[in-house]
Amino acid sequence: MDSTRVFHLQLCDTQTPTVNGYHLQESDDMTPGCEDVSEGRGNGADETYETVNASTISDDSIRFYVNMNVELEPNADENDNTGCVLLHTSRKYLKLKNFEEEVRAHRDLDRFLAGAGILLDVSALSLDDVLREMVKHIAKESENTEPISNLDEVMGSLFTDCSTFREGSGNVHLLSNTIQGVSATTTGVQYQQSWLCLLCTTVTLQERHVCICRLDRPQNWGENCCEVRYVILILVPAKMKSTKTAIEVGRTFATMFADMNFRQKLSEAKTKEEFKETLLLQRHLLTVIHREPSKKEESKEKEQDKCSKARNILRFGRGMMSDLRRRLPLYLSDYTDGILGSNKSIRKYITTILFLYCICLLPTIAFGSLNDEHTRGSIDVQKTILAQCIGGVAYAVFAGQPMGIVLTTAPLALYIHVIQGICDDYNLNFFAFYGCVGLWNSFFCVLYGVGNISSLKKFFKRSTDEILAVFISVAFVVDACKGLAKIFQDYYFCPIIPGGGEFNTSHSINATEDGAHPCGRDSAVLSLVLMLGTLWLGYTLFQFKKSPFLHARVRETMSDCALPISVLFFSFVGSYLFRDIKIAPFSYNPNQRLFNLAPFHVLSIGAIFGGMGLGFLLSMLFYLEQNIVMSLTNAPQHRLRKGTGYHWDIFLVGLINIVLSIFGLPWVHSAFPHSPLHVRALAFVEQRVENGHLHETIVRVRETRVSALVAHILVGISLLMLPVPLQWIPKPVLYGLFLYVSVTSIDGCQFFERLALLFTEQTSYPPTHYIRRVPQRKIHYFTGLQLVEVAILCGFGMAPLPYFKMVFPPIMLAMVPIRCLLLPRIIEAKYLDAMDAEH
């Protein structure tokens, strides 16, 4: 084929992009009923044409639409591929910039106005000449620090025939990256042909540059560019923050030029000052357009919320009846989905049951051992396992949201410790006073459910929920570290009886413990290895689904079974491979009765009313944890479809704890992060790439009662495995499980994402909604304030004084008015709402 072969933009009257001709590289912003943004290229002469469909992908991994005409010699051989190049076509819409919510829109315009990159009434005819003048104008800016050589390279990078293609035999002269406005019509796509936005991302650039050129008369530069009057040139360095890329800056100006009235006003501007004033006016109009409808909608929603909340609280039992009407029609499907029918998920259910069995049984053993120490054997591991079985089975069968997992938690263990201390101080019967506090707590929980108090959950923002979630994760880490520290104190730093042998050897005897035991550094070091090894292996297998090894189904199965594999492996290592080294097992008393009926008759009237006060404080903890955990479980990103049951669930938790309180068993409520982890275990997840950032998205979740029901039945059967083989699980492995649960709960937590931004390069910021809508400084302020709140919660919840921990529930509840009333005085309410939003 001849060397005269060039690309040409043919003027075309058709509006559909499927005809023979050049289709612009497009990156569109299309919403129903409004114009969208797209991209174009063009240049050429007129002879004979053939159609080539192709596209390029920009440096920001944004896909665009491209069609083009290739000019051929009339007598050229169509089978001759000499000089042929291939261009790939892909299409993607861009959203119009929201000037009300996206702070970068205003900053892009302010930066442009400060630079004054405006050219009016340019008389150049060809696109190359216009771009050359615009690049020269950028080079002459008074504050410009770009080397001239960089700008010359930019000029060449605007077209496809840059150095990469010049070495070939073809000379394809097309724009590389553009945005152009389009709108959908009944006959196809109608292009806005009066303006064109050109994007260029180059490594050699040092700063962002924007230049707008108004031609003295419309120019015909080919198909879909028949009457170009305005050219916007965007030059951006390659490594930029996700909100400062060429595409994002282009969206700002393309959204403004998509308005035909705005373009008409720009054509009437006679000076640069008038041109700037028109830009400022358009920014104001775009901001008001988005602001007014949202304010009206917010006011209507607030009025409706006030009326509905007042009606709900006045009508007792209405919330529970609403929950039951929502969930009862789907009750049978909670057992059959994924088991019967064509779309079965048996393998998913089996792996989830094993996962739930581990994350329910092992923390139960750990907290049972802690309760055994706090209550001197009154509540031990056996009772804790039995309570877990009873509460878990009842909740799985009757709960409004069966994806929740009930568990005795660290705050409850601390509360039991406080009750034991009160009984010791005032010479009270433990089981009687414990049952009294539990019955008062259950009474208030039932009252919360009947009285629709969970309707007040609407005041709980996402940031408030995450504060409690972070506190619980920190509590797991602290419990693990405390347990390991105690092991080191007993086995590594233990004092030696004189003449008892060499220091810290297996012959050394600990003189401080009743019933002296061997003291050696090997026990402490092995405990550290087992704890960290359980965390490492579990988290590595959990992330294995993201690796390229083995089949996808095998990777998913290994990821789902990560925790059981890790626990079994390091239990084998600690109990068999290193059986000569003493590792502390959890305590177990086979002579302890499982049921102790509370002797309420031994309590005085004062003790009963004292139990009421403690029960009310405890009910506040139940209310907060139950509702916040279920809110995190029902988060929109989990895509649960069968509905919630906040009122019924807290009512059910109250009923369950009545039984547990009477028989001296530890209390249970919905636990974090077990409930959200249950959802993720039953979820089908896809990995998606957005602006070069990889993130996971839940596609659907199998909402079932089967997994939790079977897992808790297995927990109950585990009572038969005491002491063997459950005592073969070393305590350090349980501490490693605490760390694993804490680390895996970080996934999807916005607080940790924002905390990571403090140590992340700006160019690597993810393209999240709050990055677009909130100034960076405000994001860091908010994260810092949340850190202070978490520190306050940790100070009260982990205080060394037992009575000090009793005020933890009111402190946690105080975080709600702090978020609603105090924080808006420090950070604007619109920024807080943006960071608390899901999208």
Side-chain angles (χ1 to χ4, degrees), residues 328-350:
L328 280 178
L330 304 172
Y331 187 79
L332 184 60
S333 67
D334 290 338
Y335 293 97
T336 59
D337 284 355
I339 297 178
L340 303 179
S342 57
N343 193 11
K344 297 181 180 180
S345 304
I346 303 298
R347 181 183 56 83
K348 195 77 172 174
Y349 281 10
I350 293 175

Side-chain angles (χ1 to χ4, degrees), residues 340-392:
L340 303 179
S342 57
N343 193 11
K344 297 181 180 180
S345 304
I346 303 298
R347 181 183 56 83
K348 195 77 172 174
Y349 281 10
I350 293 175
T351 57
T352 302
I353 289 171
L354 292 176
F355 172 74
L356 281 183
Y357 175 71
C358 286
I359 67 169
C360 290
L361 177 63
L362 299 183
T364 297
I365 293 174
F367 288 127
S369 178
L370 186 64
N371 288 331
D372 184 68
E373 295 176 5
H374 289 168
T375 62
R376 295 188 293 276
S378 297
I379 297 179
D380 61 356
V381 173
Q382 294 181 89
K383 288 189 174 184
T384 309
I385 293 177
L386 180 60
Q388 181 65 35
C389 175
I390 295 173

Side-chain angles (χ1 to χ4, degrees), residues 477-509:
V477 175
V478 171
D479 287 341
C481 293
K482 281 184 177 179
L484 186 67
K486 188 175 186 304
I487 292 176
F488 266 75
Q489 183 179 0
D490 292 341
Y491 291 95
Y492 195 90
F493 300 107
C494 54
I496 308 302
I497 296 177
E502 296 181 2
F503 179 74
N504 276 339
T505 67
S506 58
H507 303 288
S508 302
I509 301 297

